[in-house]
Amino acid sequence: SPRSFQPNGASEEALRCEIEELKQKDLALDQEITQLLSEGYSLEELDKHISLLHEYNEIKDAGQMLLGKLAVIRGVTTKQLYPEYDLELSD
């Protein structure tokens, strides 16, 4: 029955909190966009930057995955590989 798939009270409250946090993030992003537009940035320029950030994150994720696989093969941690490839821990 549909009732058996409803989350318990704690889960409902966690979902409400998450929804509220997402609403706050959405509002903050809208305010940031308004600020950038007022500084002279265009929507096209912002879209291009967002697109480039997504591409960067995808490439970074792939690199992290490869570094993780290499660490497993060598039997070391990924942190131990960073100096070998001139990477900063913040990379």
Side-chain angles (χ1 to χ4, degrees):
S1 77
R3 197 170 274 267
S4 65
F5 292 107
Q6 290 181 348
N8 63 32
S11 296
E12 287 180 21
E13 184 59 31
L15 287 173
R16 281 191 199 98
C17 288
E18 188 175 347
I19 289 169
E20 188 57 37
E21 287 175 14
L22 290 171
K23 286 180 180 178
Q24 292 300 318
K25 286 180 182 180
D26 184 49
L27 179 62
L29 288 172
D30 285 344
Q31 291 172 344
E32 189 174 343
I33 288 169
T34 300
Q35 172 73 29
L36 290 169
L37 291 173
S38 73
E39 292 174 6
Y41 292 95
S42 70
L43 287 176
E44 294 81 17
E45 189 176 11
L46 293 174
D47 285 341
K48 179 67 175 170
H49 283 277
I50 290 168
S51 175
L52 289 172
L53 282 171
H54 283 296
E55 184 177 349
Y56 166 80
N57 284 329
E58 288 173 5
I59 292 168
K60 183 178 176 183
D61 289 346
Q64 289 291 327
M65 184 181 69
L66 291 172
L67 205 56
K69 288 183 182 283
L70 182 59
V72 168
I73 290 168
R74 291 189 181 178
V76 297
T77 65
T78 54
K79 184 178 178 180
Q80 291 171 308
L81 294 176
Y82 273 60
E84 184 177 339
Y85 295 99
D86 296 322
L87 298 171
E88 298 292 326
L89 287 177
S90 61
D91 285 343

